[in-house]
């Protein structure tokens, strides 16, 4: 023996996010006896969920958002709690939850279509400071006319236009986060110097959509840059993710679908000078947990029985890009033009309808639970088997847990599924870092490094009026 020490590579472990919809992800969750019907404006409810997720050692809490009530079918809207009706604004909520947690990441959705980049940069930098380095931003472009009509527009911008705007916005935001050096603020009472004058660096951005002087009026965030999440599955969405995202949320029904998306996204990263491990892929999963398979199936059947058919169809309509209320619900799903909104989700749903020969109502009911995401019904061991298969097959780095009913669904997952993941060595047994970047294994970027900025396009007159 030569006395050399062999270093072993730590086993790869899953990342978990708690995707919190107020009463749960099932479209009828609010009607369940164990759901808090006022969850959307119940701070104590969210505080409890945050503590449960942190007890389960989750990487993060994730909040979706829409800047308007989605839909104009008032009868259907009046029967559901998940169309962004009657719930908190997420940045305000996460700032509050940071005070009752200490380790878990806090991720908020903010639209680049309707929020100026300076505001996004400022909000997320502030949340990062308030939480001690736990902030993440989920970049979306907004996808329906109901949001557009709250911001002076009659209809949403075209898909390509929204993504071009997002490309520029994320560059501006990242440059604003980098607009101060880490040591810029001296706060030296003896010398009277609050910050180093040479550290004052306006970004002076002039692009197609935005004109921003800078610098940000918040110091560089504790994480350098809050973690950027993205969920687009269209071609522009994947390109945006490959260039800018630290983590990606996806919807994949099968292992091959997950593998295809995972490998496609990761092989794009070298085009932007990034190694494949620079991005974390976390598909959504809707787990229905029971002590036996029969119990889990019964739980799901009880939820399905609570669905009002009009609600199910009203949720399907915007995803397909067509109003289905005047179609025969028991008839076939009609051919639809390519959507200007949820492009990738539309293609996924149409493929499923044709493959399984589903009627409009059958397709609506099939996605009313997980809303197009992967659904697993079974015992804790069976659910872990399914998660482990995808994790080890190169289809995921972790999962965004979409509990059917809250708080019970998250409590059951933490109390029964997490211990089984830990027993198999697939999941952490303690937090080893304090920031969201620590949890995800992402390095803290130095200012102006590790990010591929796009060259800004020349301003085009009235187009920048949308900023």
């Amino acid at each position: 023996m030569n006395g050399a020490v062999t270093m072993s590579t730590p086993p790869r472990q899953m990342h978990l996010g708690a995707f919190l919809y107020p009463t749960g992800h099932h479209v009828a969750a609010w009607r369940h006896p164990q759901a808090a019907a006022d969850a959307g404006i119940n701070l104590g409810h969210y505080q409890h969920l945050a503590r449960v997720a942190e007890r389960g050692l989750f990487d993060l809490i994730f909040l979706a958002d829409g800047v308007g009530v989605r839909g104009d079918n008032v009868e259907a809207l009046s029967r559901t709690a998940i169309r962004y009706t009657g719930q908190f604004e997420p940045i305000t909520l996460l700032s509050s939850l940071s005070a009752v947690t200490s380790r878990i990441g806090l991720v908020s959705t903010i639209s680049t279509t309707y929020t100026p980049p300076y505001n996004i940069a400022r909000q997320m930098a502030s949340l990062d400071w308030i939480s001690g380095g736990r902030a993440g931003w989920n970049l979306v472009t907004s996808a329906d006319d109901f949001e557009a009509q709250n911001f002076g527009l009659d209809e949403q911008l075209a898909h390509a236009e929204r993504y071009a705007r997002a490309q520029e916005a994320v560059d501006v935001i990242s440059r604003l986060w980098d607009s101060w050096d880490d040591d810029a603020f001296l706060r030296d009472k003896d010398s009277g110097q609050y910050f180093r004058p040479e550290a004052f660096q306006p970004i002076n951005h002039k692009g197609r959509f935005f004109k921003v002087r800078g610098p940000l009026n918040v110091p560089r965030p504790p994480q350098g840059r809050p973690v950027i999440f993205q969920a687009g599955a269209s071609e522009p969405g994947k390109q945006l993710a490959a260039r800018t995202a630290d983590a990606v949320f996806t919807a994949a029904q099968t292992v091959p679908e997950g593998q295809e998306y995972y490998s496609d996204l990761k092989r794009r990263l070298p085009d932007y000078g990034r190694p494949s491990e620079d991005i974390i892929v976390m598909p959504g999963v809707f787990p229905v947990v029971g002590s036996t398979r029969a119990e889990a199936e019964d739980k799901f059947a009880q939820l399905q029985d609570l669905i009002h058919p009009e609600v199910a169809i009203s949720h399907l309509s915007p995803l397909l890009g067509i109003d289905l209320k005047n179609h025969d619900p028991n008839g076939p799903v009609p051919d639809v033009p390519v959507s200007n909104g949820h492009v990738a989700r539309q293609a996924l749903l149409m493929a499923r309808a044709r493959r399984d020969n589903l009627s409009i109502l059958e397709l609506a009911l099939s996605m009313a639970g997980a809303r197009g995401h992967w659904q697993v019904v079974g015992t804790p061991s069976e659910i872990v088997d399914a998660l482990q298969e995808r994790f080890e097959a190169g289809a995921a780095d972790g999962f965004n847990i979409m509990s059917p009913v809250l708080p019970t669904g998250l409590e059951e997952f933490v109390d029964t599924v997490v211990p089984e993941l830990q027993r198999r060595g697939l999941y952490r047994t303690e937090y080893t870092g304090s920031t969201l970047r620590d949890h995800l294994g992402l390095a803290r970027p130095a200012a102006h490094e590790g990010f591929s900025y796009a060259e800004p396009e020349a301003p085009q007159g009235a187009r920048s009026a949308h900023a």
Side-chain angles (χ1 to χ4, degrees):
M1 295 182 62
N2 59 13
V5 177
T6 301
M7 301 296 291
S8 61
T9 302
R12 179 168 166 259
Q13 294 190 323
M14 284 184 196
H15 299 287
L16 292 181
F19 187 169
L20 304 182
Y21 256 41
T23 58
H25 281 269
H26 194 278
V27 73
W30 76 274
R31 300 183 64 193
H32 194 277
Q34 295 176 321
D38 69 344
I41 52 168
N42 186 329
L43 180 58
H45 168 76
Y46 279 104
Q47 289 173 332
H48 174 68
L49 293 175
R51 291 186 180 109
V52 170
E54 190 164 71
R55 175 166 61 83
L57 306 176
F58 275 49
D59 294 71
L60 58 100
I61 293 164
F62 170 73
L63 298 181
D65 189 43
V67 285
V69 175
R70 286 187 176 174
D72 55 7
N73 182 339
V74 178
E75 176 60 27
L77 282 172
S78 72
R79 295 178 177 274
T80 185
I82 61 172
R83 301 299 285 174
Y84 301 109
T85 308
Q87 63 188 70
F88 290 127
E89 183 279 318
I91 293 289
T92 307
L93 176 57
L94 289 178
S95 296
S96 176
L97 296 183
S98 72
V100 297
T101 57
S102 62
R103 307 295 279 276
I104 196 163
L106 306 166
V107 181
S108 175
T109 297
I110 309 177
S111 170
T112 58
T113 305
Y114 303 119
T115 310
Y118 195 94
N119 285 8
I120 296 175
R122 190 180 187 214
Q123 287 175 303
M124 295 310 306
S126 296
L127 180 60
D128 210 42
W129 279 108
I130 289 169
S131 65
R134 296 186 281 140
W137 166 42
N138 181 44
L139 185 169
V140 302
T141 67
S142 293
D144 65 63
D145 295 344
F146 303 109
E147 293 176 90
Q149 290 160 11
N150 291 328
F151 295 88
L153 302 174
D154 293 326
E155 60 185 18
Q156 62 181 318
L157 304 179
H159 186 267
E161 187 91 340
R162 295 199 313 273
Y163 272 94
R165 180 184 176 90
Q167 291 273 9
E168 185 176 333
V170 72
D171 286 350
V172 173
I173 290 162
S174 297
R175 290 178 64 194
L176 285 168
W177 286 334
D178 285 354
S179 60
W180 294 99
D181 292 332
D182 290 316
D183 61 354
F185 286 83
L186 303 174
R187 303 183 183 92
D188 189 328
K189 293 182 179 181
D190 291 336
S191 69
Q193 197 81 64
Y194 189 65
F195 66 81
R196 293 186 292 104
E198 66 274 16
F200 185 86
Q201 295 290 334
I203 67 169
N204 293 320
H205 174 88
K206 295 179 182 179
R208 176 182 171 191
F209 298 98
F210 306 108
K211 183 178 180 181
V212 182
R213 175 179 180 266
L216 194 63
N217 61 350
V218 181
R220 191 160 193 259
Q223 294 185 101
R225 302 183 200 116
V227 178
I228 297 175
F229 292 77
Q230 213 261 334
S234 64
E235 181 62 25
K238 287 187 283 191
Q239 286 296 104
L240 179 63
R243 189 172 71 83
T244 67
D246 299 301
V248 174
F249 297 147
T250 69
Q253 289 290 326
T254 67
V255 174
E257 285 177 4
Q259 290 171 319
E260 181 180 1
Y261 180 91
Y262 187 95
S263 60
D264 180 31
L265 182 62
K266 297 254 181 177
R267 67 170 168 257
R268 296 170 188 255
L269 268 66
D271 292 342
Y272 302 102
R274 305 178 65 191
S276 62
E277 61 269 19
D278 259 17
I279 200 165
I280 308 296
V281 178
M282 298 177 67
V285 58
F286 177 95
V288 184
V289 187
S291 58
T292 65
R293 170 71 72 87
E295 180 185 301
E297 290 175 345
D298 186 55
K299 281 184 177 181
F300 183 67
Q302 289 175 20
L303 280 167
Q304 291 292 95
D305 288 343
L306 296 175
I307 300 173
H308 191 285
E310 191 167 0
V311 172
I313 292 172
S314 76
H315 279 265
L316 179 62
S317 291
L319 296 179
L320 290 182
I322 184 175
D323 190 344
L324 297 167
K325 66 183 177 184
N326 294 322
H327 289 73
D328 177 5
N330 296 308
V333 177
D335 291 328
V336 297
V338 175
S339 172
N340 185 35
H342 305 275
V343 176
R345 187 67 59 84
Q346 179 196 52
L348 182 71
L349 290 170
M350 289 302 297
R352 190 196 309 173
R354 298 292 179 254
R355 182 185 66 231
D356 299 336
N357 195 29
L358 300 178
S359 69
I360 289 173
L361 183 57
E362 287 171 335
L363 180 62
L365 291 174
S366 76
M367 56 76 64
R371 296 177 295 105
H373 287 269
W374 176 39
Q375 180 174 294
V376 186
V377 180
T379 65
S381 181
E382 289 171 332
I383 288 173
V384 172
D385 286 344
L387 298 178
Q388 184 173 1
E389 178 188 17
R390 296 199 179 203
F391 179 67
E392 294 181 344
D397 296 308
F399 301 93
N400 223 14
I401 305 305
M402 304 169 61
S403 300
V405 178
L406 291 170
T408 53
L410 184 61
E411 292 168 341
E412 290 166 345
F413 191 93
V414 167
D415 292 337
T416 65
V417 178
V418 165
E420 180 62 16
L421 287 168
Q422 292 170 327
R423 188 187 69 79
R424 300 189 194 186
L426 295 169
Y427 188 63
R428 65 169 64 93
T429 56
E430 63 180 353
Y431 287 116
T432 56
S434 60
T435 72
L436 180 52
R437 285 189 175 275
D438 290 338
H439 304 336
L440 295 173
L442 300 170
R444 183 185 188 275
H448 317 296
E449 292 182 359
F451 194 91
S452 174
Y453 294 115
E455 289 297 321
E457 298 181 48
Q460 296 186 4
R463 287 188 180 277
S464 62
H466 294 307

